[in-house]
Amino acid sequence: MPRPETGHRFDDDDYPAYTVGAAAEMIGATPAFLRALGQAKLIEPLRSEGGHRRYSRYQLKIAARARELVDEGTPIESACRIIILEDQLEEAQRINEELRAADPPQK
């Protein structure tokens, strides 16, 4: 049996490696919770050839954050919106830092 190359899919945060059952267990949620996140358009799992949902580590990080918020009493729709806004803020801050680094202020 051939060995996987170093840096193979196991190292890829976007590789859809986890079934809905495994993903739910990993974040301490139910498959229905993960499906609800999909219905809310927060995460969209890829589908296997057989049509089964598959989640990546990156998607599980997002789902775990949603679970945190819901466990604190935030409605799921609001939790999804908060996460989207947090992601947009993080991206804006990253772009801002890049622009500052590329064009330092003149003295």
Side-chain angles (χ1 to χ4, degrees):
M1 177 163 94
R3 295 180 61 121
E5 300 172 24
T6 304
H8 197 257
R9 293 178 177 164
F10 297 114
D11 297 329
D12 184 353
D13 278 349
D14 294 320
Y15 181 68
Y18 304 99
T19 63
V20 68
E25 184 177 322
M26 289 173 72
I27 66 165
T30 64
F33 179 78
L34 289 173
R35 287 191 295 273
L37 296 180
Q39 290 171 342
K41 305 284 190 234
L42 181 63
I43 56 175
E44 186 175 337
L46 292 174
R47 298 283 183 153
S48 68
E49 289 182 17
H52 300 282
R53 290 175 178 86
R54 297 288 182 164
Y55 295 87
S56 69
R57 283 188 295 195
Y58 176 73
Q59 289 172 322
L60 293 183
K61 289 176 189 174
I62 294 170
R65 175 70 177 126
R67 184 178 167 269
E68 264 178 35
L69 291 168
V70 169
D71 286 351
E72 293 171 359
T74 306
I76 195 165
E77 297 82 11
S78 299
C80 292
R81 185 68 181 137
I82 288 167
I83 293 166
I84 290 167
L85 290 170
E86 287 174 341
D87 187 56
Q88 289 173 344
L89 176 60
E90 185 178 312
E91 178 69 7
Q93 289 172 331
R94 184 191 60 76
I95 291 169
N96 197 11
E97 287 299 315
E98 286 177 4
L99 291 172
R100 284 186 182 149
D103 188 25
Q106 304 284 326
K107 291 187 178 182

